[in-house]
Structure formats: C-alpha cells, structure tokens
Amino acid sequence: MTITIASAHRYPLKSAQGESVESLDLVASGALGDRAWAVRDEVRGGIRGAKKIASLMNLAARFVEEPTPANPTPAIKIGFPNGESCFSTDADCARLLSEALDHEVTLWPLQPAEDLDHYRRGAPDSEDFMEELRDIFGRTESEPLPDFSIFPPEILEFESPPGTYLDAFPLLLATNQSLEQLANLCPDSQIDMRRFRPNLVVDTTQPGLWPEFEWVGRRMQLGSALLEITAACPRCVMVTRGFADLAQDRTVLRRIVAEANQNFGVYATVITNGQVCVG
C-alpha cells in the first residue's frame, strides 16, 4: 500500500472555513495552529461550533503570521460573507462577529487546559437529551446515533478535550477514494472536501470502498510524523450545512449513515511529532 498526501488543511477558527497549506507540523495536540481560536456563546454559555451556530461556516479565517510552538495562537483575520473583515486584535471584533452570526459571542484563543470552566459545555437547546443528540448529529428518528464509547470521556462534560477546541481527537484524515465513492452515491450533490474539514486528504492504493476504515488500530508513518489511526469519524449535521458556494444538502448525511455505517474519514493521534508535506 502506498499513500500520498494530496492536500493539507488547518482551521484557525473553529467551524470557520480554513486554509490549505503545503505542509503541517504535527504535534501531540494535532496540527499546529488548527482550531487555535473559537467563539464563546454569550447567550447559553460554552464554546460553540457550527453544530449550534451554523453561520460560523460562512466565515473564513487566516493567520496574520505563522503559528509556532512558542506562539501557537497568533492573531487571525476573519472574513465575512459581505466581503468585509476584521482582526482578532480589533477592539470591536466581538461586536462584528455577533452581528455577522446574529448571535452574541466573544472570540477566544486557546486557554490553558487547567481552565476547566472555559471548556465546560453550555446549556443545551433542548431539555430532551435524545432530541438534543439527534439535532447535533442530524439524525432522523429511524437512524442510529454514533457509538459514543469511541469518544474521550471528558467530552460529556466539556465541549472539547480541555486545552483544545477539537471535537474529540487531534487529527482527521480522509481519502480521495472515499470522496469519489460518496460522489457516486450522491450524484446530485456537491461532494467537496470542505464539507468534511479534514486536516489531510490522501490518495491510497488501499483497496475498498472506504479504504481508510481499514487503518483503524494501525500506526502510519506520514512524512516525519508517526500517527495512530484511532477510530472512524461519525459525521454530524455540519456536513449538511450550506456555506460559500456549497448548498445545504441533507442527502450527503443520509448516504453516509446508510452506506458507510455513519462514518466518513478517520481520527488520528500523533505518536511522534513531525512534519507532513503535500505530495
């Protein structure tokens, strides 16, 4: 089996559109600079992503300067759908973000893992726990919810593993072969990598319809980094969102649930730090 890195991506602001880059420095917390910033919901509390504030996906974020181990959360420039923008350093950034999202928020860089209150979950939208889960994961009543045992236990209490703005694990990988397979299953849909927000998209000679699922439980050398493929990634309502030039599309999630055991792409952790480069 051979693997070639086709594209690499990081997302400076959680749930906003990210950056395509030629290389990524991989460290224990994931790709350096990935999800370095996030918004806090000042209505219901807690760090929020597009599972709850869908309009976050209409924003675009870029670093003003490259993140480094000494400065992993440099300032970002945030672009709005109307073509205007602001910087994280602007005094009125929170106001402009709140207006763009139609929801009161503040903007935060990563905080120390010890600041547990910062990472604690905000109030749910529904008092019905199952309704809340189905809304987050975009499931109909007849569709299964994910196997939550694959997730770190701390995300029951916290929006993300404390010290990160990640959903669960440090990295997400997907293959071009799986993107092509999903496009075949959804011929009337826009199947685009941006819907799935991977850090790495790879080409592989691994056989199968969803080849990356065969890597779960294995270790993989990519560039100078050693990764462990942790679990298949259960998909949520975010893959259905419309943003930029992509239309809202529930069909994408319906096919993933029905044809791929509700998963697309795989999570990974970093065993040995290193750099990966496109190509």
Side-chain angles (χ1 to χ4, degrees):
M1 177 184 69
T2 61
I3 294 173
T4 303
I5 298 172
S7 61
H9 312 273
R10 66 185 179 198
Y11 306 88
L13 173 60
K14 182 179 177 68
S15 288
Q17 298 166 55
E19 303 178 303
S20 296
V21 293
E22 288 302 306
S23 65
L24 286 173
D25 292 317
L26 304 185
V27 296
S29 58
L32 188 64
D34 193 38
R35 279 82 169 185
W37 292 78
V39 300
R40 181 175 178 82
D41 186 339
E42 296 300 335
V43 178
R44 304 188 70 80
I47 295 299
R48 294 294 198 194
K51 296 180 182 68
K52 291 293 187 179
I53 305 177
S55 48
L56 276 165
M57 297 184 78
N58 285 314
L59 306 182
R62 298 288 183 270
F63 284 113
V64 174
E65 59 185 55
E66 280 294 302
T68 66
N71 183 22
T73 60
I76 56 174
K77 181 180 181 180
I78 303 169
F80 302 120
N82 63 5
E84 297 181 359
S85 62
C86 74
F87 292 91
S88 56
T89 50
D90 291 344
D92 60 348
C93 180
R95 176 184 64 81
L96 294 172
L97 276 173
S98 298
E99 290 175 358
L101 299 174
D102 194 26
H103 196 95
E104 187 180 355
V105 299
T106 51
L107 180 65
W108 290 81
L110 285 169
Q111 298 298 296
E114 296 76 22
D115 187 358
L116 296 181
D117 284 343
H118 178 73
Y119 294 99
R120 210 173 301 280
R121 286 190 176 276
D125 291 330
S126 172
E127 294 183 2
D128 185 320
F129 184 61
M130 293 304 294
E131 180 180 339
E132 178 80 0
L133 288 177
R134 291 194 182 282
D135 181 63
I136 290 171
F137 285 94
R139 299 294 191 268
T140 66
E141 290 189 2
S142 62
E143 290 176 329
L145 286 164
D147 175 7
F148 294 109
S149 69
I150 71 166
F151 295 121
E154 58 264 32
I155 67 169
L156 292 175
E157 181 178 357
F158 302 103
E159 186 67 27
S160 57
T164 80
Y165 291 142
L166 305 167
D167 283 346
F169 295 98
L171 293 171
L172 180 66
L173 281 70
T175 63
N176 275 326
Q177 287 70 22
S178 287
L179 285 166
E180 292 169 5
Q181 171 64 7
L182 187 59
N184 291 334
L185 293 169
C186 307
D188 297 322
S189 297
Q190 296 169 284
I191 302 302
D192 189 294
M193 175 280 302
R194 291 172 295 165
R195 288 194 186 276
F196 307 102
R197 306 177 64 77
N199 298 111
L200 297 169
V201 179
V202 302
D203 287 316
T204 179
T205 58
Q206 172 82 37
L209 299 179
W210 315 100
E212 57 266 50
F213 296 164
E214 299 300 318
W215 304 338
V216 173
R218 298 171 66 182
R219 290 189 172 187
M220 176 181 294
Q221 186 83 36
L222 286 182
S224 57
L226 179 64
L227 309 182
E228 183 168 309
I229 307 304
T230 311
C233 176
R235 303 318 302 218
C236 70
V237 70
M238 283 180 62
V239 304
T240 73
R241 303 288 198 210
F243 65 96
D245 58 335
L246 299 178
Q248 180 174 324
D249 190 343
R250 292 273 177 170
T251 301
V252 175
L253 187 56
R254 301 283 79 77
R255 301 321 306 158
I256 290 172
V257 171
E259 305 292 343
N261 195 28
Q262 62 188 309
N263 301 311
F264 190 89
V266 289
Y267 287 124
T269 55
V270 180
I271 303 301
T272 303
N273 294 358
Q275 186 179 72
V276 296
C277 301
V278 173

